[in-house]
Amino acid sequence: MPLHVSPAPAPALRSVLAALGSPAVREAHTPALRSVQGPLSPELPLPVHVLDVRDQVVPPAGAPRTRLAGWRFLIRGGDRPVAAADTILTPDGWAFSHFFEGPYLASTERAVRQAEAMATGHQPRLLSVPELYMLTLWLHEDAEADPAAGAPAPADLLIPLAPAPPGIAAHLPYRVADLLPVLTLRLVPPPLLESTA
């Protein structure tokens, strides 16, 4: 079933298009982006949410807290993604942040293909867990929800992107209710050892 990809805010898309037409492309630290012959196009806009782990992933109210950090676009050159572009919300509105490349490009595309093959439709988002250096494709159950708001529901799916943290399989879909307890255990600091001196 096709994913319900939400359109990015128009100013975010315009800022990426402007960056693609500017010297920022030649100055970017992305060799693949600089070496592309032909047109570059931003595709697959995904809202990037950050999981707030200050409350040890699952706060007392029971729902994990997230905040919208920006929108990410895959930049396609020819038949493959060659880079990604991030945008951020500033006091003046949406603005281009930076281009980058790396393993998350192919991993994102693979996870999206996995999600498209599922029987139910979802709204794709990205969920970042900075403390674990982890990024997941978050498949939100409510395909019509505001992509900038909300928190992962227990039945939502998370597909960890490669490279995933040790002990968490990349590209294996997990229900939020199953993966968040695992993340909680990894994020809780170990108990302090008492000194015998």
Side-chain angles (χ1 to χ4, degrees):
M1 176 171 272
L3 293 175
H4 300 276
V5 178
S6 300
L13 177 58
R14 280 194 302 269
S15 73
V16 171
L17 289 169
L20 286 171
S22 77
V25 171
R26 289 187 302 278
E27 296 165 6
H29 298 290
T30 51
L33 186 63
R34 291 192 313 263
S35 67
V36 171
Q37 302 295 318
L40 296 166
S41 60
E43 298 180 354
L44 191 64
L46 296 173
V48 180
H49 293 259
V50 175
L51 187 64
D52 185 357
V53 294
R54 289 184 204 97
D55 297 321
Q56 297 180 10
V57 179
V58 182
R65 294 183 189 165
T66 63
R67 64 178 168 79
L68 180 66
W71 281 79
R72 178 167 296 165
F73 298 79
L74 289 184
I75 305 299
R76 188 165 296 277
D79 62 348
R80 64 184 178 90
V82 294
D86 276 357
T87 62
I88 56 171
L89 189 58
T90 70
D92 295 325
W94 288 100
F96 169 75
S97 174
H98 63 282
F99 292 115
F100 67 93
E101 60 185 56
Y104 285 130
L105 299 179
S107 189
T108 300
E109 196 166 58
R110 176 179 170 187
V112 166
R113 282 195 308 271
Q114 280 181 265
E116 287 173 338
M118 294 179 180
T120 57
H122 293 91
Q123 182 189 83
R125 304 172 175 196
L126 292 173
L127 183 65
S128 173
V129 185
E131 288 80 359
L132 294 177
Y133 302 99
M134 181 177 181
L135 187 64
T136 70
L137 181 66
W138 167 16
L139 301 175
H140 194 47
E141 243 185 350
D142 184 356
E144 302 304 319
D146 177 357
D156 286 356
L157 297 175
L158 298 175
I159 301 176
L161 301 182
I168 296 175
H171 296 286
L172 179 66
Y174 295 88
R175 286 181 48 246
V176 166
D178 297 332
L179 186 57
L180 284 186
V182 173
L183 301 181
T184 302
L185 291 174
R186 289 176 174 263
L187 293 168
V188 173
L192 295 175
L193 297 176
E194 291 185 24
S195 173
T196 57

